[in-house]
Amino acid sequence: MTHSHVTAVQDDEPELLRDQFRQLLRYRAIIGAGIGIGLLGGVWFGMSNADTYVATSQVVLRAPVNDPFNPSISQDKTLNMGSERQTALSSSVAEQAARKLGWTGTIGRLQKDLQVTNPPQSQVLQFTYTADTPQAAADRANAVTQAYLGLREKQWTDLRGTLLAGQQRQLDEVAKKHDQKTKELDRMPDGAARDAEYSVKTNLLNRINELDARISQLKSLDMSPGTVIRVATAPGYSDGPGLPMSLGLGALVGIALGLLAAWVRLVFDPAPRSAGDVARAVRAPVLGTLPRGATDVLLADDHTDARVAEEYRSVAFRLAYDQRFADRRRLLVVAPRGSNEAAVAVASHLAASFAETGKDVLLIEADLRDPTLKGRLRAHAAAAPRWSSPVESRENEEGGWPSRRQLSVDAGESGSFGLVPGERVRNVARALTGPRVSRLIAEADSPNSTVVVLAPPVLNYADALALVDRVDGVLVVCDPRGVHRTDLQRIRELIAGAGGTVLGAVVHTSGRRRRRAAKKQGGRRGSGGGHSYPPPPGTEEFAAEPEQILLGDGSDTVALRSLRAEDLRTGPAAGRDIRAGDR
């Protein structure tokens, strides 16, 4: 049992966060499912990486140069590391490595487990290979590295051979022309013509020297594409994080996934998951949170847990100190929709609690569609109410509800209170809006008197709205898991539109059986499918007489009455004798 008096004021941000976190913990099944999925993923990840080994080799690339110590040559401008990485991942390198390894599978399968990376600001290629065994990972990484170096060396060598062949062809042609020009000069006499031809021969000789220098330079190039600075070795341990680490990571991911799913479920959940949500929906305080099973019986003496009676007493005291109720002491107890069992229990317990404080309490069962209190409470005959005096015998002769019979309920140590039981009538709207009900509710105008009115669920029938303007406030009884926030907001709007005030709410928790029964019977109210309760011992003479009036099909409802401006100015008391014909 928790005594919570939640107000409808705006909470501060930390309190809202704490409240939301508490609401998330209500979705334990979703959070547990997320943790389970995370653990399963961790097991799968740990098992799949249990026999995974990674070997790495590294190569420093270089371009062919004549003088590697020449500072004017910039290797980063000579080499394109992006192109080199793509070359290392090419199928040509994979084919060379496959031949070295004796690979029997497909080239794509060999390339699948290979990764080639280039650390920033470097001319280094890192070959990483993943395999099922340590030695296989090392052998394949080294094979791919050597295949890449061999391919790059072959490419550079082929390029140098092509250049050398071109330079040699040019050299042969120039040398041939030089030899011819030398023979011609030997046959020519001295003179200007011979001097001119001698200049041509000199130019050809210079060209021959230039081509010889180029050929010598190409032949002197170091064609090594790079140097292996790290040879792949067989790793001594698996690359995977291990099963314990995988389970830990999976649990963390599962918790995050479960909380995220619970938060999404909370965002789209229409039901209020806390007393704060209920208070914000009805814009009134939550006067009490009943423990589980508090609404199973109708009187506190029948409970084995004393905490139940204390919670009901605390609700009654909070109402008694509310100025809106304390002035006239008229209370309407309603439920949102579905079963009315919780509202019945709260109304009877509040009547007993008010009687315990010395008040003259009258409990009016205004549920004329499925009345049950007469057969469920320890009631005996009592004097007729004051409004049923012989002066109005003409109206009493017409019959109807409420009748002249008034019962007294023995609430044990709490004392006793009056009960006006409900009866099935032909026209519910006429009975609830008639002058008899107005005079009966006006009993609270007497000193030390309190009237508690029990009405059917607000969203099932409009019966409660016909009584709103004749009471001082409305108490909403709801199970947060069985009602929507929009339902509570609509109840508040309906009560405010009918001229009433919501004094507060009482939150209870129904058991699974009670919720299933409420769902099954929620749609059958008003159709003759009500509960049947055996009367307590010693009350056989007050058993309900056979009904003489056939009920309608449940489609009849209470028509709302309009209030005049002067009625609103003078208060609800001025308009409680409004007839049904004043609409």
Side-chain angles (χ1 to χ4, degrees):
M1 177 183 67
T2 57
H3 295 277
S4 59
H5 191 188
V6 182
T7 58
V9 298
Q10 294 293 333
D11 297 325
D12 56 355
E13 185 175 354
E15 181 63 28
L16 290 176
L17 292 176
R18 287 191 293 268
D19 183 61
Q20 188 177 36
F21 185 75
R22 286 193 295 267
Q23 294 178 39
L24 286 178
L25 295 180
R26 293 178 179 269
Y27 300 100
R28 297 182 182 90
I30 297 178
I31 298 176
I35 296 175
I37 293 174
L39 290 176
L40 290 177
V43 171
W44 173 82
F45 184 75
M47 296 297 293
S48 62
N49 292 284
D51 298 329
T52 301
Y53 298 89
V54 177
T56 303
S57 64
Q58 292 180 341
V59 177
V60 176
L61 301 183
R62 57 180 298 273
V65 294
N66 291 324
D67 184 6
F69 302 102
N70 187 355
S72 63
I73 299 176
S74 178
Q75 291 287 340
D76 57 345
K77 295 181 179 178
T78 306
L79 293 173
N80 187 335
M81 298 306 297
S83 299
E84 296 298 330
R85 180 177 175 275
Q86 294 300 322
T87 302
L89 291 171
S90 65
S91 59
S92 300
V93 174
E95 289 174 357
Q96 295 291 335
R99 282 195 291 268
K100 291 183 179 181
L101 293 170
W103 182 263
T104 57
T106 61
I107 300 301
R109 182 70 181 84
L110 180 63
Q111 291 178 301
K112 178 181 178 182
D113 298 323
L114 173 65
Q115 290 184 348
V116 180
T117 57
N118 169 228
Q121 305 290 329
S122 69
Q123 284 76 47
V124 176
L125 282 184
Q126 179 172 292
F127 295 81
T128 304
Y129 202 93
T130 305
D132 297 336
T133 60
Q135 192 59 44
D139 294 342
R140 294 171 189 176
N142 290 326
V144 173
T145 302
Q146 295 300 326
Y148 166 74
L149 291 176
L151 178 63
R152 293 303 290 152
E153 185 175 2
K154 181 178 181 301
Q155 289 176 346
W156 286 117
T157 303
D158 293 343
L159 178 59
R160 184 181 66 173
T162 302
L163 294 176
L164 284 174
Q167 297 290 335
Q168 188 64 44
R169 284 194 300 269
Q170 294 182 28
L171 179 60
D172 293 341
E173 293 177 359
V174 174
K176 183 178 180 181
K177 293 180 180 180
H178 180 269
D179 293 341
Q180 292 176 355
K181 188 61 66 175
T182 301
K183 292 178 181 180
E184 291 177 359
L185 287 174
D186 291 341
R187 293 193 298 266
M188 293 181 65
D190 294 336
R194 190 173 184 276
D195 293 339
E197 292 297 328
Y198 189 81
S199 298
V200 173
K201 177 186 174 183
T202 302
N203 291 335
L204 290 174
L205 182 60
N206 292 335
R207 178 63 176 167
I208 291 173
N209 294 332
E210 181 182 354
L211 290 174
D212 283 335
R214 289 183 179 179
I215 291 173
S216 298
Q217 185 179 8
L218 288 174
K219 289 181 178 180
S220 65
L221 288 177
D222 182 6
M223 303 308 296
S224 175
T227 304
V228 178
I229 61 174
R230 179 179 178 181
V231 179
T233 58
Y237 51 88
S238 174
D239 183 65
L243 188 58
M245 181 66 71
S246 298
L247 287 176
L249 294 175
L252 292 178
V253 173
I255 291 174
L257 181 63
L259 290 176
L260 177 61
W263 179 79
V264 173
R265 178 69 176 87
L266 176 65
V267 170
F268 293 98
D269 189 2
R273 288 295 178 174
S274 67
D277 282 352
V278 175
R280 284 185 287 270
V282 299
R283 295 184 184 177
V286 173
L287 301 179
T289 301
L290 302 179
R292 188 181 299 274
T295 59
D296 292 342
V297 295
L298 301 186
L299 292 176
D301 291 343
D302 298 332
H303 285 284
T304 58
D305 192 351
R307 296 177 302 169
V308 176
E310 292 301 324
E311 183 66 25
Y312 280 113
R313 290 190 186 100
S314 66
V315 174
F317 276 114
R318 289 166 185 166
L319 285 171
Y321 283 103
D322 192 329
Q323 195 63 31
R324 295 171 297 180
F325 172 77
D327 291 342
R328 299 174 59 197
R329 303 173 306 284
R330 284 192 274 255
L331 180 67
L332 177 64
V333 181
V334 294
R337 64 166 74 248
S339 175
N340 205 33
E341 292 302 306
V344 171
V346 171
S348 59
H349 280 93
L350 289 180
S353 298
F354 285 129
E356 190 175 11
T357 61
K359 300 291 184 180
D360 294 332
V361 183
L362 179 63
L363 175 59
I364 303 174
E365 185 183 16
D367 187 353
L368 307 183
R369 303 178 187 275
D370 190 13
T372 60
L373 283 181
K374 183 166 60 177
R376 299 173 62 186
L377 294 174
R378 297 188 294 268
H380 54 83
R386 289 191 292 273
W387 58 265
S388 56
S389 59
V391 177
E392 299 175 0
S393 59
R394 180 177 179 182
E395 293 184 4
N396 294 330
E397 291 174 357
E398 297 176 2
W401 182 86
S403 62
R404 296 172 59 92
R405 176 181 296 178
Q406 178 176 328
L407 306 179
S408 178
V409 178
D410 181 11
E413 295 181 357
S414 299
S416 62
F417 58 87
L419 170 65
V420 177
E423 299 177 3
R424 298 190 178 186
V425 297
R426 182 185 301 275
N427 193 320
V428 177
R430 181 177 299 174
L432 292 178
T433 56
R436 295 183 179 184
V437 177
S438 299
R439 289 194 296 272
L440 187 60
I441 296 177
E443 291 265 323
D445 290 340
S446 303
N448 204 38
S449 297
T450 302
V451 173
V452 179
V453 183
L454 173 65
V458 180
L459 300 181
N460 284 8
Y461 303 99
D463 299 356
L465 301 180
L467 304 169
V468 166
D469 62 327
R470 284 173 281 181
V471 298
D472 301 298
V474 180
L475 181 66
V476 180
V477 181
C478 67
D479 179 4
R481 301 187 181 184
V483 68
H484 293 177
R485 286 188 293 267
T486 54
D487 292 341
L488 297 176
Q489 294 170 359
R490 185 184 175 195
I491 289 174
R492 173 181 53 79
E493 293 172 355
L494 291 174
I495 292 174
T501 303
V502 178
L503 297 180
V506 173
V507 177
H508 68 93
T509 302
S510 300
R512 295 183 178 179
R513 293 183 179 179
R514 173 67 64 84
R515 286 199 295 267
R516 287 196 294 266
K519 290 180 180 179
K520 292 180 181 179
Q521 297 170 359
R524 297 203 299 263
R525 285 189 57 86
S527 58
H531 303 286
S532 177
Y533 298 92
T539 59
E540 289 81 0
E541 70 264 25
F542 301 111
E545 299 178 359
E547 294 290 343
Q548 301 296 329
I549 301 174
L550 297 177
L551 292 176
D553 57 357
S555 61
D556 54 329
T557 184
V558 176
L560 296 180
R561 296 166 295 169
S562 60
L563 297 178
R564 295 183 297 272
E566 54 270 19
D567 296 332
L568 295 177
R569 289 192 294 268
T570 56
R576 64 173 178 261
D577 290 334
I578 298 177
R579 300 296 190 268
D582 294 337
R583 296 188 293 271

